[in-house]
Amino acid sequence: MLRRLIAGAAVLAAALTTLATTPAAAADAPLRELAEARGRYLGTAVTAGKLTGGYADLAAAQFNSITPGNEMKWGSVEPTRGTYDWTGADRVVAFAEAHGQRVRGHTLVWHSQLPSWVSGGTWTADRLRTLMTDHITAQAGRYKGRIDHWDVVNEPLNEDGTLRQSVFGATLGESYIADAFRAARAADPAAKLYLNDYSTDGVGAKSDGMYALVKRLLAQGVPVDGVGFQAHLVLGQVPASLETNLRRFAELGVDVAITELDIRMTLPATDAKLAQQKADYASVLRACLAVTRCAGVTVWGFTDSDSWIPDFFPGQGAATPYDESLAPKPARAGIAETLAPVTPPSPGVCSVTYAVTSQWTGGFTAQVTLRNTGTAALNGWTVRWSQPAGQRVTQAWNAAVTQTGAEVTAANLSYNATVPPGGSVSFGFNGAWSGTNPPPAAFTCG
Ligand code: 9MR
């Protein structure tokens, strides 16, 4: 239940605004905290066997969503029919839960990394459909209630937007997609169910095919909640239509997410290439922030030592935000600066982020976070803002909130008066609105 609420909040986070953190200061904040304040998640794919030491520390500190890079693929979990090995998948899920991270389950049905007993078999349509739904029921059922998003079907399309003739497509036609989603919904009703593909990031033949497919599935009542855009990109070639493309899918009534972001370059990496990569990461993040239904961004490995690129594209690499020794690259700053609070800085000691976490006719809930960006502890604090459209605070928690006309003042309570340097405190309120519910233009804090 809690997981649903958190996921819902991310999607509904409609508005936020802030004061007083410079991009440079933001670069020091954990990426997961910056993303959360913008109503998004920031995720990474990980390798279960590497989740120790500095790799684990960074994965835990910087990201609030985890995708197992390989451990949930059919070939990993069901190498022989009916015999499951959950070791790697369990390890990743346990790690995420221990660090307050969501899990993107990847993936239930894919033509690749299939065990040979599936890919090499000769199947009647009925038999293959049963194998597929049994697999989904077992895997989604095992992690029921613990997965935020499932990539139910991965890479269903050819480059021209037609159905890939995988063992599933060739044997079952498009109907396998609907059957897979229905089986996943039955096995884990709380998970958001995604269709995921690559080279669908910009508007083009393949994404047009995906768009038409999603429309058909929704028209049939198939429970598709989201579309994932892998975004395995090439340096300097972020599609100009990325944001437009995300938006047109969102307008179909589904969530969207960037699910496997990396930006590869021809090696060696130079300062100029790394600067371009920083700009490219920033523009992908900006596209997601610009589309309300973009739930978040996942990088496909956060360190260059854990990236698939050098193996698959000889001579290329350096595609992720951290280098092989786990040091941050300019791309990491590009992410941080893009996620940083949006209002220009003022020379203050604190910053404020504001997010509407849910909204309904006449009412809304907002969360406000004050962060101490100074070097001394705050002992007692207030946050002030002006409600731009007549909104009224009706109830507040974790702060004493008063409103006179449009002017609102929130003050600490005794138990949360002290905020150490770099620390933050959050409070929330319910409000009433009519007409529109824009965020406050600015906050003062101190
Ligand atoms: O990162 C994965 C790599 O370790 C595997 O060798 C590879 C096998 O195809 O799969 C990689 O992840 C893929 C993901 O599951 C689906 N989209 C493309 C990714 C890169 O190949």
Side-chain angles (χ1 to χ4, degrees):
M1 184 58 182
L2 181 61
R3 179 174 300 278
R4 283 310 280 171
L5 287 174
I6 293 169
V11 170
L12 288 167
L16 59 100
T17 188
T18 281
L19 191 69
T21 296
T22 62
D28 297 332
L31 297 175
R32 60 183 288 172
E33 208 177 281
L34 294 170
E36 209 160 302
R38 302 295 298 260
R40 301 295 188 282
Y41 66 80
L42 186 73
T44 184
V46 294
T47 300
K50 295 187 177 173
L51 282 170
T52 57
Y55 178 92
D57 292 346
L58 259 184
Q62 300 294 330
F63 299 92
N64 54 4
S65 171
I66 291 285
T67 306
N70 287 303
E71 293 78 358
M72 285 185 168
K73 291 170 181 173
W74 197 328
S76 303
V77 299
E78 197 186 3
T80 49
R81 169 124 224 241
T83 307
Y84 292 92
D85 177 358
W86 304 110
T87 319
D90 280 357
R91 202 188 295 180
V92 175
V93 173
F95 179 88
E97 289 176 346
H99 297 98
Q101 297 165 307
R102 311 154 180 236
V103 179
R104 289 199 91 259
H106 175 82
T107 173
L108 295 169
V109 184
W110 186 29
H111 64 275
S112 185
Q113 291 179 280
L114 269 179
S116 54
W117 67 267
V118 178
S119 53
T122 310
W123 308 109
T124 62
D126 280 351
R127 186 87 179 118
L128 184 63
R129 191 177 300 108
T130 303
L131 288 183
M132 180 188 78
T133 52
D134 282 356
H135 173 74
I136 293 170
T137 303
Q139 182 155 4
R142 177 176 180 86
Y143 296 106
K144 182 178 177 183
R146 301 164 73 190
I147 302 291
D148 187 35
H149 296 174
W150 263 117
D151 284 334
V152 177
V153 174
N154 193 38
E155 303 175 2
L157 298 181
N158 293 317
E159 295 315 284
D160 65 359
T162 57
L163 187 72
R164 184 192 287 273
Q165 295 301 291
S166 64
V167 62
F168 305 107
T171 313
L172 299 169
E174 192 175 298
S175 70
Y176 89 87
I177 300 177
D179 290 335
F181 274 81
R182 292 195 167 110
R185 175 65 95 228
D188 186 356
K192 291 223 173 194
L193 306 182
Y194 274 66
L195 250 183
N196 193 48
D197 215 325
Y198 64 89
S199 297
T200 49
D201 315 308
V203 175
K206 190 168 182 180
S207 67
D208 287 352
M210 180 61 98
Y211 183 82
L213 171 62
V214 172
K215 228 173 157 171
R216 282 196 298 280
L217 292 168
L218 293 174
Q220 294 161 33
V222 178
V224 179
D225 300 311
V227 179
F229 300 82
Q230 293 185 7
H232 292 294
L233 301 177
V234 173
L235 189 73
Q237 295 180 30
V238 177
S241 56
L242 176 60
E243 180 187 325
T244 311
N245 195 39
L246 296 179
R247 197 181 302 286
R248 71 171 171 155
F249 280 86
E251 284 169 358
L252 288 177
V254 290
D255 293 340
V256 294
I258 304 290
T259 52
E260 304 185 13
L261 176 61
D262 48 28
I263 302 178
R264 60 184 180 266
M265 62 182 72
T266 300
L267 297 172
T270 61
D271 287 351
K273 289 180 198 171
L274 292 171
Q276 176 66 51
Q277 187 184 47
K278 174 182 178 180
D280 290 346
Y281 267 92
S283 73
V284 174
L285 268 289
R286 261 198 311 277
C288 181
L289 289 174
V291 177
T292 308
R293 289 198 76 149
C294 183
V297 175
T298 295
V299 295
W300 204 245
F302 62 93
T303 153
D304 291 340
S305 64
D306 195 24
S307 168
W308 67 296
I309 296 291
D311 292 338
F312 282 72
F313 298 94
Q316 298 190 50
T320 81
Y322 287 83
D323 74 13
E324 303 209 337
S325 354
L326 301 177
K329 293 160 58 183
R332 195 262 179 212
I335 296 172
E337 289 167 18
T338 309
L339 290 174
V342 285
T343 310
S346 77
V349 292
C350 47
S351 67
V352 175
T353 54
Y354 170 94
V356 172
T357 55
S358 70
Q359 181 167 299
W360 57 96
T361 309
F364 68 104
T365 301
Q367 172 160 311
V368 185
T369 300
L370 165 96
R371 186 176 165 81
N372 181 353
T373 55
T375 50
L378 290 173
N379 292 307
W381 48 264
T382 55
V383 178
R384 292 176 216 277
W385 68 93
S386 186
Q387 295 291 24
Q391 300 102 320
R392 307 283 318 163
V393 175
T394 54
Q395 184 195 2
W397 49 94
N398 296 337
V401 178
T402 54
Q403 181 168 3
T404 307
E407 303 309 313
V408 182
T409 302
N412 65 275
L413 299 175
S414 55
Y415 60 83
N416 62 7
T418 303
V419 187
S424 58
V425 64
S426 291
F427 61 93
F429 67 87
N430 286 334
W433 66 287
S434 63
T436 60
N437 185 22
F443 294 84
T444 56
C445 56

